[in-house]
Structure formats: C-alpha cells, structure tokens
Amino acid sequence: MLIDNHNRKINYLRLAVTDRCNLRCNYCMPAEGINFAKNDKLFTIEELFTLSKIMVKQGIDKIRITGGEPFVRKDLMVLLRQMAALEGLKDISITTNATLIGPYINELKELGITNINVSMDAIHKETFDTITRRNEYDTVYGNLIRLISEGFNVRINFIVLDGQNTQDILPILDVMKHYDVAVRFLEEMPFNGGTKSFNTIKWDYKNIYKHIATAYPHIEALESPRTSTSINYKIRGHKGTFGLIPSFSRTFCGTCNRLRISATGDVITCLYGKPSMNLREVLRKENAEENIKLHILKAIGSRAKTGFEAQKNNSSVFDSSMTSIGG
C-alpha cells in the first residue's frame, strides 16, 4: 500500500503511453505542436507493462491510460491485453479524443475495458473544429454514440473555455439528456505549452453551475466517492448526469489518491508541481523493480499538500503542455 506524507492512500495511476496527439487543441498546445519526444525516450510496450506490474505490487489497483492520444500508438492493444490479465488490477480506464478508437471498440469490450473518458469540448461542429484545429467532429461524435450505445461507462470531459465554447454548455446537456452518460465540465488549466498563462478564470466551477441552473432549475446533488475530483449532479428528466471539476480552483486536493507517470518516465505527484524524478533509465538498468519501488516511495513521501503549494515551488508551471504531462 502506498501512503503519502499527508496520509493519503495512493491507489490510482495515470499512465501516459505517448505525448503525441492527432489534434491540436488550442488550450493544450500551439498550432505547430510541441517538441514531441523521440522514440528512444518513450517507454516501450514491454516497459509499460513491466512498470504496471511493479505499481500494482505496490498497491495501485486502478490505471488510467492517457496520452497525448493513446490510440496514436498502434501497439496499444498489446499492452491492454496484457494489463487485462494482470492480477490485482481492478480497473483499467482510458482517456481518449475518440478519433482513433473505432476499430478497437469490440475488443475493448471483450477485455472488460469499459470505462472510457472522451475529451469533447463542443457539441457543435464549427466550435469543435475551431478548438481542435482539425476536421474530426463526425468521427468523434460517431464513436462517442457507439460507445454509449454498446454499454461502455462513458464520461465526456468538456473544458470550459471563455469566449470559445461556453455557448455549447447547455446544448451538450440537452443532446446528452437521452443517454446514460456523464458530462463533466472542467475549469480551464494553464497547461498549454506556454502560449498563455493566467492567475484567475471567469468560468470557475461555481459560475458553470450558475449558468446551468438558469436553464435547468431542477438539479439534484449526488453523493460522490471520497476521492472523486468531480462534484456530481442529476437534472430532472435527464437519463445521464453532469459533473463539475474544479481543476483550477483545486478544491479536491485533500483526498487526492493519484499519481502520474508521463510517457517519457517523469513521476508527477501533482499537475501543478515539478516532476519528482524520472523512471525511464531506472527501468532499463539492473534491479529495476527494487529501485523503482524505492523511487516511488520517495516521490510520494514528499508530495505537496495542495496544488497551490506545488505551484509555488514550480516557476515553470505555465510552460508545460497537457499532452506532455499525461493529459
């Protein structure tokens, strides 16, 4: 079992398999992209599985596969097949932009990998294309509906961007009211590859709620798991739910149970903090398992108490891109 220096149990790993993405969302990176890691700096599939096994032995029972866009890796299913058979791993989840997942939906279902988060920041095609700088709306929407229809546990992650997609907040709830899906609205974060930094946001979780409540006055608060990052609600007459994630306000730090490992091996104990260490070369040397376990214990033994504390100690926090730190 992993317990950090603030007595928080760590059982959830966000494991990035690539830093590459086939979209160019304007809140994540510049139009020209970023300096993506070379292949020898990325974990191989075999290394990712070895790392997963080690982490499960240390008490991790939930792993979320992230990127970049995970399905950019054409060998991703090899890893997922191995992980699905890993004893002690209770939950394998995936966060994806749903552009490339289509051919793998049937096998994912067969493997029991049914918790899928779809990043979709607009319900109108024009808004979607402007934000992503790509023409993939029809593919994303088609795969989203297919996942929902085939019984996957789908959550839509919608980052609220002032002046860009706030007009889509109510329409996406209206479109999704007939589906058993959770639409989760996230506050914007400053991880955009250094294109913009900010210290406040107009659309925080309280203002997002007020906006929704003007159109849907009959809202019921739902009980959420203790470690949930989202505050969850049900609108009367809607089949699904919606949630608010205070990712910039950082109200959930006290129960944080997660750890991130980037595609290049950086151990990240808080999104707003510096990487604690890098495991890539450790994994490629002798006594890898023992040394990785020691490194992980050291990392969680010096975690910041909150995201605000982590940010104070990280002068380059605004230079990072979401695609390079695990989505």
Side-chain angles (χ1 to χ4, degrees):
M1 184 181 295
L2 294 171
I3 306 291
D4 75 4
N5 50 318
H6 302 289
N7 203 35
R8 296 174 294 202
K9 179 182 176 182
I10 312 300
N11 69 319
Y12 176 10
L13 172 65
R14 294 180 60 101
L15 181 62
V17 298
T18 182
D19 64 342
R20 295 180 182 274
C21 187
N22 57 329
L23 301 183
R24 289 293 180 271
C25 298
N26 60 26
Y27 60 82
C28 181
M29 63 174 120
E32 66 274 12
I34 61 170
N35 292 322
F36 296 110
K38 295 181 179 179
N39 285 342
D40 65 334
K41 300 298 183 184
L42 297 173
F43 286 124
T44 65
I45 290 297
E46 182 180 357
E47 288 170 340
L48 286 164
F49 182 56
T50 298
L51 186 58
S52 299
K53 288 192 292 184
I54 295 171
M55 297 302 296
V56 169
K57 287 180 182 178
Q58 281 194 290
I60 295 294
D61 59 20
K62 175 179 179 177
I63 296 179
R64 176 171 295 280
I65 299 299
T66 69
E69 166 48 42
F71 288 96
V72 165
R73 283 199 73 148
K74 293 182 170 49
D75 51 2
L76 177 63
M77 293 306 299
V78 175
L79 173 64
L80 295 178
R81 291 178 200 123
Q82 294 173 326
M83 291 178 66
L86 187 53
E87 187 175 348
L89 184 56
K90 298 176 182 177
D91 180 7
I92 304 169
S93 306
I94 301 173
T95 294
T96 174
N97 62 31
T99 56
L100 304 171
I101 197 173
Y104 310 106
I105 289 176
N106 289 339
E107 186 175 2
L108 289 170
K109 195 171 184 178
E110 290 171 4
L111 292 173
I113 301 173
T114 56
N115 292 328
I116 309 292
N117 285 10
V118 174
S119 301
M120 188 176 186
D121 306 304
I123 197 63
H124 293 116
K125 184 180 187 304
E126 182 179 345
T127 308
F128 181 91
D129 290 353
T130 298
I131 291 172
T132 63
R133 304 187 180 105
R134 295 293 186 271
N135 183 22
E136 293 285 352
Y137 178 85
D138 291 340
T139 299
V140 171
Y141 188 79
N143 284 331
L144 170 67
I145 299 303
R146 184 180 165 198
L147 286 165
I148 297 169
S149 301
E150 295 198 17
F152 284 77
N153 176 31
V154 178
R155 296 188 294 195
I156 298 171
N157 286 344
F158 181 118
I159 298 178
V160 179
L161 308 165
D162 185 27
Q164 294 196 67
N165 64 354
T166 54
Q167 72 278 6
D168 278 28
I169 293 173
L170 299 179
I172 197 170
L173 288 172
D174 192 51
V175 170
M176 290 298 148
K177 68 182 178 182
H178 304 294
Y179 298 101
D180 186 11
V181 61
V183 182
R184 307 194 307 172
F185 299 99
L186 291 79
E187 296 175 343
E188 186 179 5
M189 291 171 284
F191 308 111
N192 48 49
T195 58
K196 180 179 69 171
S197 63
F198 47 85
N199 294 311
T200 60
I201 53 173
K202 176 181 176 181
W203 287 88
D204 64 13
Y205 71 104
K206 294 178 182 178
N207 285 328
I208 298 170
Y209 179 85
K210 289 176 184 176
H211 181 67
I212 293 171
T214 60
Y216 300 107
H218 302 293
I219 297 175
E220 174 191 354
L222 301 176
E223 187 174 347
S224 302
R226 182 173 176 272
T227 56
S228 175
T229 58
S230 63
I231 308 163
N232 301 306
Y233 300 93
K234 179 90 171 177
I235 298 172
R236 184 188 298 177
H238 285 217
K239 191 172 183 180
T241 63
F242 78 90
L244 307 174
I245 300 183
S247 39
F248 187 78
S249 300
R250 289 162 264 184
T251 62
F252 46 73
C253 296
T255 57
C256 181
N257 67 332
R258 61 194 61 198
L259 190 68
R260 290 170 180 261
I261 299 179
S262 76
T264 56
D266 284 339
V267 178
I268 301 168
T269 60
C270 176
L271 264 179
Y272 289 86
K274 296 177 181 178
S276 301
M277 60 193 62
N278 189 283
L279 298 179
R280 186 181 62 249
E281 297 309 316
V282 178
L283 189 60
R284 293 174 179 176
K285 293 180 180 177
E286 294 182 0
N287 302 318
E289 181 171 341
E290 180 182 344
N291 288 328
I292 283 176
K293 286 181 177 180
L294 290 174
H295 277 69
I296 293 296
L297 288 173
K298 183 178 179 181
I300 68 164
S302 57
R303 291 181 85 202
K305 189 172 184 178
T306 68
F308 296 103
E309 181 183 307
Q311 184 178 334
K312 285 181 182 179
N313 299 321
N314 185 11
S315 60
S316 61
V317 63
F318 296 130
D319 296 333
S320 301
S321 167
M322 257 304 184
T323 195
S324 65
I325 54 179

